[in-house]
Amino acid sequence: MSAVMSAHAASCRISPKNLIRILLIPSMLMPGIQTLQAQPDELTFAFTGDIMMGTTYPDSLYQTHLPANNGKELLKAPLDILRQADFTAGNLEGTLLEQGGSVKESKDPNLHYAFRTPPHYVDNLLEAGFDFVSLANNHSNDFGTEGLRSTQKTLKKAGIAYAGLKGLCETTVVTRKGIRFGIAAFSHNALTPHLSHLKKVRHTVSELRRKCDYVIVSFHGGAEGTKFTRVPHSREYCFGEDRGDVCAFARTCIDAGANLVYGHGPHVVRAIELYKDRLIAYSLGNFCTPYRINITGRSGYAPVLTVTTTRDGKFVKGQIHSFIQQHGRGPQRDKTHRAATEIAELTQQDFPQTPVLFSPDGHITRR
């Protein structure tokens, strides 16, 4: 990249990856000129768990729930990892809304977990190179229709793809390096495509497989909290909700043609599995949630999972990059590799036959 392009990227807070993406849009080139890109033999991905960079709700505590400098430092530590991947994705927990919106009533708003992040915080995701965020979770409707519309409008304007709202944007297609990536997102509530409806899951994924070169599935499922780090291989319930059988769901997605499946939702990390040579990450926990979400102990593990696959999705290698959260700050590097150790141990417990090996610092190889 030229010095001029790099300077432009810095001034606009756009990552070099996203700037190249913008400059290569065919419609912005001379008429009749087509961009030709050699399709790579291998693809690299970066996945994260929940992202909620700050909230202006409750209004009475506005200043205490937003980071300094509009959150520009939140993703500094994992920035290079996120930017270097061919495709980077996470879960957007909450809404991108300036003010207002209809929030469910609560006797004590200080105990009411509703998240309203200022829309300009999307710049932090753009600078970090995020290609996609999931809206299939139990906080995307925290501020009603107004919140949903603002979130979609903000992401669309930034050029970040999204999916996961039933009847509105259940799937999306993103083209990178000449490859059509199809992404589907599922969760466990009425607003989103439900991960327990396996017939619909099968149909959605197989349709994407028919139209796209590569299919990624994101899901928000499983019970919540430090007591639920294990994948139970059965249906889970939490707060009176059917949170799905995440193992049956993920394997159904692979059977239907998905190349990669990654999960979030329990607010803790869970095991990974290599199923039919395709990687499944059952939960990447919290990633950047410095306010209003418990990040003590295991809940503070904030891994970035990077994965390399062949073009048809076969696992080549991976790495769990361990980060830890602190109140009011974004994820910080964890030289003790707690997230990687936890995921390795859980994988041995829940999927002892899965053919992967973990190094102490989080590298994943085929066994």
Side-chain angles (χ1 to χ4, degrees):
M1 177 177 292
S2 71
V4 172
M5 290 169 64
S6 297
H8 182 68
S11 66
C12 295
R13 297 189 56 77
I14 299 174
S15 73
K17 179 172 79 169
N18 284 336
L19 180 59
I20 291 172
R21 177 189 312 166
I22 292 169
L23 293 177
L24 292 181
I25 296 174
S27 63
M28 297 176 67
L29 302 177
M30 293 176 62
I33 300 297
Q34 298 296 319
T35 56
L36 299 176
Q37 296 185 45
Q39 294 184 342
D41 293 329
E42 294 183 347
L43 300 169
T44 60
F45 301 86
F47 298 109
T48 78
D50 295 349
I51 301 168
M52 198 287 290
M53 295 174 280
T55 178
T56 61
Y57 181 86
D59 298 321
S60 61
L61 299 178
Y62 183 95
Q63 296 299 325
T64 65
H65 295 321
L66 290 178
N69 200 22
N70 292 313
K72 293 177 182 179
E73 306 300 317
L74 286 178
L75 301 178
K76 184 176 180 179
L79 196 65
D80 288 345
I81 298 169
L82 298 170
R83 282 181 168 187
Q84 288 169 6
D86 295 324
F87 193 93
T88 301
N91 174 60
L92 184 64
E93 189 89 330
T95 63
L96 297 171
L97 177 66
E98 192 64 49
Q99 59 185 358
S102 55
V103 64
K104 188 199 300 187
E105 299 244 350
S106 174
K107 292 181 180 179
D108 184 354
N110 293 320
L111 298 178
H112 191 132
Y113 296 101
F115 306 132
R116 184 176 61 196
T117 303
H120 60 272
Y121 277 46
V122 76
D123 291 346
N124 302 326
L125 301 179
L126 189 61
E127 184 187 18
F130 275 88
D131 297 280
F132 169 85
V133 292
S134 172
L135 302 184
N137 58 65
N138 51 320
H139 286 283
S140 56
N141 195 36
D142 278 354
F143 288 86
T145 301
E146 189 175 348
L148 287 172
R149 287 176 177 169
S150 177
T151 300
Q152 293 176 83
K153 179 181 178 181
T154 301
L155 291 170
K156 185 175 182 179
K157 184 177 181 180
I160 298 175
Y162 57 89
L165 300 177
K166 186 164 65 175
L168 294 175
C169 54
E170 298 186 9
T171 64
T172 189
V173 177
V174 177
T175 301
R176 298 285 181 267
K177 294 189 174 182
I179 297 171
R180 287 172 59 83
F181 293 95
I183 310 102
F186 299 86
S187 187
H188 50 71
N189 57 59
L191 183 71
T192 69
H194 205 293
L195 55 83
S196 289
H197 302 161
L198 295 185
K199 184 177 180 180
K200 177 68 186 299
V201 169
R202 234 178 258 112
H203 175 75
T204 299
V205 174
S206 61
E207 279 297 295
L208 274 179
R209 172 78 276 173
R210 185 178 60 81
K211 297 186 295 184
C212 301
D213 304 306
Y214 201 103
V215 175
I216 302 166
V217 173
S218 168
F219 73 94
H220 202 72
E224 296 183 22
T226 55
K227 294 181 180 179
F228 301 101
T229 58
R230 303 291 300 275
V231 177
H233 298 264
S234 61
R235 192 174 299 278
E236 297 179 74
Y237 296 87
C238 189
F239 305 126
E241 295 177 322
D242 173 7
R243 295 295 182 94
D245 180 336
V246 295
C247 185
F249 162 80
R251 291 176 176 181
T252 294
C253 291
I254 300 294
D255 290 340
N259 303 101
L260 265 171
V261 179
Y262 77 99
H264 32 81
H267 296 292
V268 288
V269 299
R270 285 184 167 187
I272 67 168
E273 178 187 20
L274 202 59
Y275 175 72
K276 294 186 175 180
D277 229 8
R278 272 69 180 171
L279 192 75
I280 301 168
Y282 281 96
S283 176
L284 296 177
N286 299 317
F287 174 59
C288 185
T289 55
Y291 301 96
R292 303 285 291 161
I293 291 177
N294 178 20
I295 52 173
T296 59
R298 288 175 167 178
S299 300
Y301 297 172
V304 177
L305 171 65
T306 56
V307 183
T308 300
T309 77
T310 61
R311 276 199 59 205
D312 62 355
K314 292 181 180 178
F315 176 77
V316 175
K317 62 182 179 179
Q319 185 173 0
I320 300 159
H321 304 265
S322 294
F323 292 85
I324 196 80
Q325 290 203 72
Q326 300 171 1
H327 179 76
R329 301 181 67 192
Q332 306 296 308
R333 288 189 180 275
D334 177 15
K335 294 181 180 180
T336 64
H337 309 292
R338 279 169 284 185
T341 300
E342 178 93 344
I343 293 173
E345 291 175 352
L346 291 169
T347 298
Q348 180 57 39
Q349 292 171 344
D350 294 344
F351 301 97
Q353 302 305 316
T354 206
V356 296
L357 294 172
F358 294 86
S359 72
D361 61 353
H363 283 87
I364 310 167
T365 54
R366 187 187 304 277
R367 185 164 61 196

